[in-house]
Amino acid sequence: MVLPFTLWARGRLCRSGAPRPTRPRHLAEGLVFAAAATVVTRTPAQGVLRRR
């Protein structure tokens, strides 16, 4: 769900001349943040589902 919006938003920003080029470091930071957010939200959810 996020990827289509990201592509749409970057396209709109590119047409307006706003975005800066993506750097590999920023991509890596985003992937690390997404992985951490997945672990942080999934772990408690699994605990809740096990108790049921």
Side-chain angles (χ1 to χ4, degrees):
M1 192 179 324
V2 172
L3 187 59
F5 175 76
T6 301
L7 295 174
W8 171 83
R10 284 202 53 88
R12 295 281 302 231
L13 289 169
C14 282
R15 284 191 292 278
S16 71
R20 297 178 188 157
T22 303
R23 294 187 176 148
R25 177 179 176 223
H26 296 151
L27 178 62
E29 288 173 352
L31 291 173
V32 167
F33 179 75
T38 300
V39 170
V40 166
T41 57
R42 185 178 167 109
T43 303
Q46 284 180 331
V48 168
L49 292 175
R50 279 193 202 123
R51 284 188 228 140
R52 287 184 160 198

Coordinates of all heavy atoms in Angstrom, one line a residue:
M1 N 0.8 -1.2 0.0 CA 0.0 0.0 0.0 C 0.9 1.3 0.0 O 0.5 2.3 -0.6 CB -0.9 0.0 1.2 CG -2.0 1.0 1.1 SD -3.2 1.2 2.4 CE -3.5 -0.4 3.0
V2 N 2.0 1.2 0.6 CA 2.9 2.4 0.7 C 3.6 2.6 -0.6 O 3.8 3.8 -1.0 CB 3.9 2.2 1.9 CG1 4.9 3.3 1.9 CG2 3.1 2.1 3.2
L3 N 4.0 1.5 -1.3 CA 4.8 1.7 -2.5 C 4.1 2.5 -3.6 O 4.6 3.4 -4.2 CB 5.3 0.3 -3.0 CG 6.2 0.4 -4.2 CD1 7.5 1.2 -3.8 CD2 6.6 -1.0 -4.6
P4 N 2.8 2.1 -3.9 CA 2.1 2.9 -4.9 C 2.0 4.4 -4.6 O 2.2 5.3 -5.4 CB 0.7 2.3 -5.0 CG 0.9 0.9 -4.5 CD 2.0 1.0 -3.5
F5 N 1.7 4.7 -3.3 CA 1.7 6.1 -2.9 C 3.0 6.8 -3.0 O 3.1 7.9 -3.5 CB 1.1 6.3 -1.5 CG 1.2 7.7 -1.0 CD1 0.2 8.6 -1.5 CD2 2.2 8.1 -0.2 CE1 0.3 9.9 -1.0 CE2 2.2 9.5 0.2 CZ 1.3 10.3 -0.2
T6 N 4.1 6.1 -2.6 CA 5.4 6.6 -2.7 C 5.8 7.0 -4.2 O 6.3 8.1 -4.5 CB 6.4 5.7 -2.1 OG1 6.1 5.4 -0.8 CG2 7.9 6.2 -2.2
L7 N 5.5 6.1 -5.1 CA 5.8 6.3 -6.5 C 5.0 7.5 -7.0 O 5.5 8.3 -7.8 CB 5.5 5.0 -7.3 CG 6.4 3.8 -7.0 CD1 5.9 2.6 -7.7 CD2 7.8 4.2 -7.3
W8 N 3.7 7.5 -6.6 CA 2.8 8.6 -7.1 C 3.4 10.0 -6.5 O 3.5 11.0 -7.3 CB 1.4 8.4 -6.6 CG 0.5 9.6 -6.8 CD1 -0.1 9.9 -8.0 CD2 0.2 10.6 -5.9 NE1 -0.8 11.1 -7.8 CE2 -0.6 11.6 -6.5 CE3 0.5 10.9 -4.6 CZ2 -1.1 12.7 -5.9 CZ3 0.0 12.0 -3.9 CH2 -0.8 12.9 -4.6
A9 N 3.7 10.0 -5.2 CA 4.1 11.2 -4.6 C 5.5 11.7 -5.2 O 5.7 12.9 -5.5 CB 4.3 11.0 -3.1
R10 N 6.4 10.8 -5.4 CA 7.7 11.2 -6.0 C 7.5 11.7 -7.4 O 8.2 12.6 -7.8 CB 8.7 10.0 -5.9 CG 9.2 9.8 -4.5 CD 10.5 9.1 -4.5 NE 11.6 9.5 -5.3 CZ 12.5 10.4 -4.9 NH1 12.4 11.1 -3.7 NH2 13.5 10.8 -5.7
G11 N 6.6 11.1 -8.1 CA 6.3 11.5 -9.5 C 5.8 13.0 -9.5 O 6.3 13.8 -10.3
R12 N 4.9 13.3 -8.6 CA 4.4 14.6 -8.5 C 5.4 15.6 -8.0 O 5.5 16.7 -8.6 CB 3.2 14.7 -7.4 CG 2.0 13.9 -7.8 CD 1.1 14.6 -8.8 NE 0.7 15.9 -8.3 CZ -0.5 16.4 -8.2 NH1 -1.5 15.6 -8.7 NH2 -0.7 17.6 -7.8
L13 N 6.3 15.2 -7.1 CA 7.3 16.1 -6.6 C 8.4 16.3 -7.7 O 8.9 17.4 -7.8 CB 8.0 15.5 -5.4 CG 7.1 15.5 -4.1 CD1 7.8 14.7 -3.0 CD2 6.9 17.0 -3.6
C14 N 8.7 15.3 -8.5 CA 9.7 15.4 -9.6 C 9.2 16.4 -10.6 O 9.9 17.2 -11.1 CB 9.9 14.1 -10.2 SG 11.0 13.0 -9.3
R15 N 7.9 16.3 -10.9 CA 7.3 17.2 -11.9 C 7.4 18.7 -11.4 O 7.5 19.6 -12.2 CB 5.9 16.8 -12.2 CG 5.8 15.6 -13.2 CD 4.4 15.4 -13.7 NE 3.5 15.0 -12.7 CZ 3.3 13.7 -12.3 NH1 4.1 12.8 -12.8 NH2 2.4 13.4 -11.4
S16 N 7.3 18.9 -10.1 CA 7.4 20.2 -9.6 C 8.8 20.7 -9.3 O 9.1 21.8 -8.9 CB 6.6 20.3 -8.3 OG 7.2 19.6 -7.2
G17 N 9.8 19.7 -9.4 CA 11.2 20.1 -9.2 C 11.6 20.0 -7.8 O 12.7 20.6 -7.5
A18 N 10.8 19.4 -6.9 CA 11.1 19.5 -5.5 C 12.1 18.4 -4.9 O 12.9 18.8 -4.1 CB 9.8 19.4 -4.7
P19 N 12.0 17.2 -5.3 CA 12.8 16.2 -4.6 C 14.3 16.3 -4.9 O 14.7 16.6 -6.0 CB 12.2 14.9 -5.0 CG 11.8 15.1 -6.4 CD 11.3 16.5 -6.4
R20 N 15.1 15.9 -3.9 CA 16.5 15.7 -4.1 C 16.7 14.3 -4.5 O 15.9 13.4 -4.2 CB 17.2 16.0 -2.8 CG 17.0 17.4 -2.3 CD 17.8 17.6 -1.0 NE 17.4 18.9 -0.5 CZ 17.5 19.2 0.8 NH1 17.9 18.3 1.7 NH2 17.1 20.4 1.2
P21 N 17.8 14.0 -5.2 CA 18.1 12.6 -5.6 C 18.3 11.7 -4.3 O 18.8 12.2 -3.3 CB 19.5 12.7 -6.3 CG 19.6 14.1 -6.7 CD 18.8 14.9 -5.7
T22 N 17.8 10.5 -4.5 CA 17.9 9.6 -3.3 C 19.3 9.1 -3.2 O 19.9 8.7 -4.2 CB 16.9 8.4 -3.6 OG1 15.6 8.9 -3.7 CG2 16.9 7.4 -2.4
R23 N 19.8 9.1 -2.0 CA 21.2 8.6 -1.8 C 21.1 7.2 -1.2 O 20.1 6.9 -0.5 CB 21.9 9.5 -0.8 CG 22.1 10.9 -1.4 CD 23.0 11.7 -0.5 NE 23.2 13.0 -1.2 CZ 23.4 14.1 -0.6 NH1 23.3 14.2 0.7 NH2 23.6 15.2 -1.3
P24 N 22.1 6.3 -1.5 CA 22.1 5.0 -0.9 C 21.9 4.9 0.6 O 21.3 4.1 1.1 CB 23.4 4.4 -1.4 CG 23.7 5.2 -2.6 CD 23.2 6.5 -2.4
R25 N 22.6 5.9 1.2 CA 22.5 5.9 2.7 C 21.0 6.1 3.2 O 20.6 5.5 4.1 CB 23.4 7.1 3.2 CG 23.3 7.2 4.7 CD 24.1 8.3 5.2 NE 24.0 8.5 6.7 CZ 23.8 9.6 7.3 NH1 24.0 10.7 6.6 NH2 23.7 9.6 8.6
H26 N 20.3 7.0 2.5 CA 18.9 7.3 2.9 C 18.0 6.0 2.6 O 17.2 5.7 3.4 CB 18.4 8.5 2.1 CG 19.1 9.7 2.4 ND1 19.2 10.8 1.5 CD2 19.7 10.1 3.6 CE1 19.8 11.8 2.1 NE2 20.2 11.4 3.3
L27 N 18.3 5.3 1.5 CA 17.6 4.1 1.2 C 17.8 3.1 2.3 O 16.9 2.4 2.8 CB 18.0 3.6 -0.1 CG 17.4 2.3 -0.5 CD1 15.9 2.4 -0.6 CD2 17.9 1.8 -1.8
A28 N 19.1 2.9 2.7 CA 19.5 2.0 3.8 C 18.8 2.3 5.1 O 18.3 1.5 5.8 CB 21.0 1.9 3.9
E29 N 18.8 3.6 5.4 CA 18.2 4.1 6.7 C 16.7 3.8 6.7 O 16.1 3.3 7.7 CB 18.4 5.6 6.9 CG 19.8 5.9 7.3 CD 20.0 7.4 7.3 OE1 19.1 8.2 6.9 OE2 21.1 7.8 7.7
G30 N 16.0 4.0 5.5 CA 14.6 3.7 5.4 C 14.3 2.2 5.6 O 13.3 1.8 6.3
L31 N 15.1 1.4 5.0 CA 14.9 -0.1 5.1 C 15.1 -0.5 6.5 O 14.4 -1.4 7.0 CB 15.8 -0.8 4.1 CG 15.5 -0.6 2.6 CD1 16.6 -1.3 1.8 CD2 14.1 -1.2 2.3
V32 N 16.1 0.0 7.2 CA 16.4 -0.4 8.6 C 15.2 0.1 9.5 O 14.8 -0.7 10.3 CB 17.7 0.2 9.1 CG1 17.8 0.1 10.6 CG2 18.9 -0.5 8.4
F33 N 14.7 1.3 9.2 CA 13.6 1.8 10.0 C 12.4 0.9 9.8 O 11.6 0.6 10.7 CB 13.3 3.2 9.7 CG 12.1 3.8 10.4 CD1 12.2 4.1 11.8 CD2 10.9 4.0 9.8 CE1 11.2 4.6 12.5 CE2 9.8 4.5 10.5 CZ 10.0 4.8 11.8
A34 N 12.1 0.5 8.5 CA 10.9 -0.3 8.2 C 11.0 -1.7 8.9 O 10.1 -2.2 9.4 CB 10.8 -0.4 6.7
A35 N 12.2 -2.2 8.8 CA 12.4 -3.6 9.5 C 12.2 -3.5 11.0 O 11.6 -4.3 11.6 CB 13.8 -4.1 9.1
A36 N 12.8 -2.4 11.6 CA 12.6 -2.3 13.0 C 11.2 -2.0 13.4 O 10.7 -2.6 14.4 CB 13.5 -1.1 13.5
A37 N 10.5 -1.2 12.6 CA 9.0 -1.0 12.9 C 8.2 -2.3 12.8 O 7.3 -2.5 13.6 CB 8.5 0.1 12.0
T38 N 8.6 -3.1 11.8 CA 7.9 -4.4 11.7 C 8.1 -5.3 12.9 O 7.2 -5.9 13.4 CB 8.4 -5.1 10.4 OG1 8.1 -4.3 9.3 CG2 7.7 -6.5 10.2
V39 N 9.3 -5.4 13.3 CA 9.6 -6.2 14.5 C 9.0 -5.7 15.8 O 8.3 -6.4 16.5 CB 11.2 -6.3 14.7 CG1 11.5 -7.0 16.1 CG2 11.8 -7.1 13.6
V40 N 9.0 -4.4 15.9 CA 8.4 -3.7 17.1 C 6.9 -3.9 17.2 O 6.3 -4.1 18.3 CB 8.8 -2.2 17.2 CG1 8.0 -1.5 18.2 CG2 10.3 -2.1 17.5
T41 N 6.3 -3.9 16.1 CA 4.8 -4.1 16.1 C 4.4 -5.5 16.0 O 3.3 -5.9 16.6 CB 4.2 -3.3 14.9 OG1 4.7 -3.7 13.7 CG2 4.4 -1.8 15.1
R42 N 5.1 -6.4 15.3 CA 4.7 -7.8 15.2 C 4.9 -8.6 16.5 O 4.1 -9.4 16.8 CB 5.5 -8.4 14.1 CG 5.1 -9.8 13.8 CD 5.9 -10.3 12.6 NE 5.7 -11.8 12.5 CZ 5.0 -12.4 11.6 NH1 4.5 -11.6 10.6 NH2 4.9 -13.7 11.6
T43 N 6.0 -8.3 17.2 CA 6.3 -9.0 18.4 C 5.2 -9.0 19.4 O 4.7 -10.0 19.9 CB 7.6 -8.6 19.0 OG1 8.6 -8.8 18.0 CG2 8.0 -9.4 20.3
P44 N 4.7 -7.8 19.8 CA 3.6 -7.7 20.8 C 2.3 -8.3 20.2 O 1.5 -9.0 20.9 CB 3.3 -6.2 21.0 CG 4.6 -5.6 20.6 CD 5.2 -6.4 19.5
A45 N 2.1 -8.2 18.9 CA 0.9 -8.7 18.3 C 0.9 -10.3 18.4 O -0.2 -10.9 18.6 CB 0.8 -8.3 16.8
Q46 N 2.0 -10.9 18.2 CA 2.1 -12.3 18.3 C 1.8 -12.8 19.7 O 1.2 -13.8 19.9 CB 3.5 -12.8 17.9 CG 3.7 -12.8 16.4 CD 5.1 -13.3 16.0 OE1 6.0 -13.2 16.7 NE2 5.2 -13.9 14.8
G47 N 2.3 -12.0 20.7 CA 2.0 -12.3 22.1 C 0.5 -12.2 22.4 O 0.0 -13.1 23.1
V48 N -0.1 -11.2 21.8 CA -1.6 -11.1 22.1 C -2.3 -12.3 21.4 O -3.3 -12.8 22.0 CB -2.1 -9.8 21.5 CG1 -3.6 -9.7 21.4 CG2 -1.5 -8.6 22.3
L49 N -1.9 -12.6 20.2 CA -2.6 -13.7 19.5 C -2.4 -15.1 20.2 O -3.3 -15.9 20.1 CB -2.2 -13.8 18.0 CG -2.7 -12.5 17.2 CD1 -2.1 -12.6 15.8 CD2 -4.2 -12.5 17.2
R50 N -1.2 -15.3 20.8 CA -1.0 -16.5 21.5 C -1.8 -16.7 22.7 O -2.2 -17.8 23.0 CB 0.5 -16.6 21.9 CG 1.4 -17.0 20.8 CD 2.8 -17.4 21.3 NE 3.7 -17.3 20.2 CZ 4.8 -16.5 20.2 NH1 5.1 -15.8 21.3 NH2 5.6 -16.4 19.2
R51 N -2.2 -15.6 23.3 CA -3.0 -15.7 24.6 C -4.5 -16.1 24.3 O -5.2 -16.5 25.1 CB -3.0 -14.4 25.3 CG -1.7 -14.2 26.0 CD -1.7 -13.0 26.9 NE -0.5 -12.2 26.7 CZ -0.4 -10.9 26.6 NH1 -1.4 -10.2 26.7 NH2 0.8 -10.4 26.3
R52 N -4.9 -15.9 23.0 CA -6.3 -16.2 22.7 C -6.5 -17.6 22.6 O -6.0 -18.5 22.2 CB -6.6 -15.5 21.4 CG -6.8 -14.0 21.6 CD -7.2 -13.4 20.4 NE -7.8 -12.1 20.7 CZ -8.6 -11.4 20.0 NH1 -8.9 -11.8 18.8 NH2 -9.0 -10.2 20.3

